């Protein structure tokens, strides 16, 4: 009898100890490791990093304006289903000089596709939730802090407000843009969304120009987005562009009667802030006779190009894959990028990089290579 009582007592003690350990695990360090995971992040990266930088939005989804509808996209991913893969590819780095968004250097050579090397693709970008149709047409957003989430928009967004968030949303535009931030406003965040258009239905002689345009002088964030069709997809002088999949740019003859120059990311110079282009897949398949410009175009069109970080991206296509800022460009850091040969043997039709200012203060070219592993160095400026 005493032996049975002793065994039961031991069992009780062990059970109590196990429950104590489990209780500590549920209420202790594991919970404390995720204090910053925002409400809109359906999955948080390991270690408790937030799904996106900045404060978590608290406003409710705004209402549509009842504008006329635009044609729905005949192609692309289903608009009413959740993404098959919700886990983001990495957490954005919001300051220059930090590690890659995934916390590791760019993947090695020999990948069959960007996704095989850990770069963004259709499975790691776009909405993560079922969507509700909203035929907004042109919609002006004028409420500070407004959050648009879970919408399947046929139309476009023109932002006249601060701290607007567009998340887990699809936009099919027939306007000049998908999302446009007007001068004098700041804090725009576009996350986990698909931004596309119907080829031939845009206002520029059937073309559409900008998926996301930043007309202001403050930074915006675009992350984990699936972007296609637009001639100059991501257009801005300052911003944090990370973990996006930009692909299937559609060439068109613009209102001027010329082939529209196409770029997946374009900056016209004269910027006052920092432009970060980190851990994106940037594909420009446009033919050389159909207006191909760059995958990344840093042009001194409106002023000197300065303070741009291009790090840990998969880059392919364009006349040159990268236009580097030209004479006077400073603070341009191009590191750990993979230049793919999927469209041209030299990544771009004419080469990897043009107009690189090797002598510019703070300009760095380091550890960039072709997708077959060959190191890449810019040609001397002519």
């Amino acid at each position: 009898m005493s032996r049975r009582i002793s065994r039961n007592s031991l069992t009780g003690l062990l059970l109590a100890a196990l429950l104590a350990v489990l209780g500590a695990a549920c209420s202790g360090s594991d919970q404390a490791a995720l204090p910053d995971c925002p409400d809109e992040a359906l999955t948080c990266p390991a270690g408790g990093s937030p799904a996106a930088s900045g404060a978590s939005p608290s406003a409710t989804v705004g209402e549509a304006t009842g504008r006329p509808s635009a044609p729905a996209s005949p192609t692309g991913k289903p608009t009413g289903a959740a993404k098959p893969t919700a886990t983001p590819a990495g957490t954005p780095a919001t300051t220059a000089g930090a590690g890659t968004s995934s916390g590791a250097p760019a993947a090695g050579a020999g990948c069959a596709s960007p996704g095989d090397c850990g770069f963004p693709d259709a499975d790691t970008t776009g909405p993560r939730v079922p969507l509700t149709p909203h035929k907004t047409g042109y919609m002006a957003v004028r409420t500070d802090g407004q959050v648009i989430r879970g919408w399947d928009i046929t139309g476009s967004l023109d932002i006249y407000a601060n701290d607007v968030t567009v998340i887990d949303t699809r936009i099919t535009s027939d306007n000049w843009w998908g999302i446009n931030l007007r001068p004098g406003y700041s804090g725009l965040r576009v996350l986990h969304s698909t931004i596309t258009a119907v080829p031939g239905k845009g206002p520029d002689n059937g073309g559409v120009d900008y998926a996301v345009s930043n007309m202001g002088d403050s930074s915006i964030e675009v992350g984990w987005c699936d972007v296609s069709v637009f001639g100059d997809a991501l257009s801005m002088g300052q911003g944090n562009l990370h973990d996006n999949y930009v692909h299937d740019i559609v060439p068109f003859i613009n209102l001027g009667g010329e082939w529209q120059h196409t770029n997946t990311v374009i900056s016209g110079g004269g910027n006052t802030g920092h432009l970060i282009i980190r851990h994106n897949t940037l594909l420009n398949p446009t033919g050389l006779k159909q207006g191909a410009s760059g995958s990344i175009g840093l042009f001194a069109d409106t002023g000197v190009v300065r303070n741009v970080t291009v790090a840990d991206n998969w880059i392919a296509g364009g006349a040159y894959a990268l236009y580097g800022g030209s004479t006077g460009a400073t603070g341009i850091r191009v590191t750990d990028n993979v230049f793919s040969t999927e469209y041209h043997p030299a990544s771009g039709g004419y080469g990897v990089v043009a107009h690189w200012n090797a002598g510019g203060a703070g300009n760095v070219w380091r550890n960039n290579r072709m997708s077959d592993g060959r190191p890449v160095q810019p040609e001397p400026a002519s």
Side-chain angles (χ1 to χ4, degrees):
M1 178 68 68
S2 60
R3 185 177 303 165
R4 186 177 302 141
I5 293 173
S6 176
R7 183 179 300 169
N8 289 341
S9 300
L10 179 60
T11 301
L13 290 172
L14 290 174
L15 179 58
L18 178 60
L19 290 174
V21 170
L22 290 175
C26 292
S27 60
S29 59
D30 286 351
Q31 289 292 325
L34 299 172
D36 298 321
C37 185
D39 292 340
E40 75 273 18
L42 300 190
T43 58
C44 284
S49 299
S53 62
S56 175
S58 58
T60 56
V61 174
E63 293 300 322
T65 60
R67 303 275 184 173
S69 63
S73 174
T75 61
K77 291 173 287 188
T79 59
K83 293 290 294 180
T85 302
T87 304
T91 302
T94 57
T95 57
T100 66
S101 59
S102 57
C111 300
S113 68
D116 288 343
C117 265
F119 290 94
D121 61 12
D123 289 334
T124 58
T125 57
R128 306 162 295 174
V129 300
L131 306 179
T132 302
H134 288 266
K135 294 183 178 180
T136 66
Y138 167 87
M139 177 178 170
V141 178
R142 301 183 184 275
T143 302
D144 287 352
Q146 183 169 355
V147 177
I148 295 174
R149 181 184 185 191
W151 287 22
D152 182 4
I153 293 174
T154 302
S156 62
L157 302 178
D158 204 3
I159 312 298
Y160 292 87
N162 298 311
D163 302 319
V164 172
T165 297
V166 180
I167 187 168
D168 288 317
T169 288
R170 177 185 173 93
I171 295 176
T172 303
S173 175
D174 64 350
N175 205 337
W176 295 91
W177 60 79
I179 303 174
N180 181 42
L181 179 67
R182 291 288 178 169
Y185 299 95
S186 63
L188 174 65
R189 302 166 70 206
V190 184
L191 308 173
H192 296 287
S193 294
T194 293
I195 309 168
T196 189
V198 181
K201 299 295 184 180
D204 195 355
N205 199 25
V208 285
D209 290 82
Y210 312 112
V212 181
S213 170
N214 180 6
M215 298 178 66
D217 57 5
S218 63
S219 183
I220 70 174
E221 180 183 6
V222 183
W224 302 292
C225 289
D226 183 327
V227 179
S228 62
V229 179
F230 296 88
D232 285 321
L234 303 177
S235 174
M236 62 198 69
Q238 42 271 320
N240 180 14
L241 312 178
H242 63 85
D243 301 287
N244 300 294
Y245 175 45
V246 186
H247 60 102
D248 292 313
I249 303 298
V250 175
F252 61 92
I253 296 175
N254 60 28
L255 289 172
E258 301 176 339
W259 284 105
Q260 175 73 17
H261 290 172
T262 61
N263 302 270
T264 62
V265 178
I266 185 170
S267 175
N271 55 302
T272 57
H274 200 135
L275 177 60
I276 300 172
I277 307 167
R278 191 185 301 276
H279 199 247
N280 304 278
T281 297
L282 304 173
L283 309 179
N284 185 356
T286 308
L288 293 175
K289 296 182 179 181
Q290 295 179 303
S293 182
S295 277
I296 299 176
L298 307 179
F299 301 113
D301 293 338
T302 59
V304 173
V305 179
R306 59 175 68 88
N307 300 329
V308 180
T309 296
V310 180
D312 189 22
N313 300 282
W314 179 283
I315 304 169
Y320 286 90
L322 170 66
Y323 285 82
S326 195
T327 303
T330 59
I332 315 299
R333 299 179 57 85
V334 182
T335 62
D336 301 306
N337 298 284
V338 176
F339 290 90
S340 171
T341 61
E342 57 200 277
Y343 303 127
H344 306 286
S347 193
Y350 300 130
V352 170
V353 58
H355 305 299
W356 173 252
N357 182 20
N363 291 351
V364 175
W365 182 282
R366 184 178 64 240
N367 197 30
N368 301 295
R369 56 200 180 279
M370 304 296 290
S371 52
D372 61 8
R374 288 176 292 148
V376 176
Q377 292 295 331
E379 296 181 4
S382 58

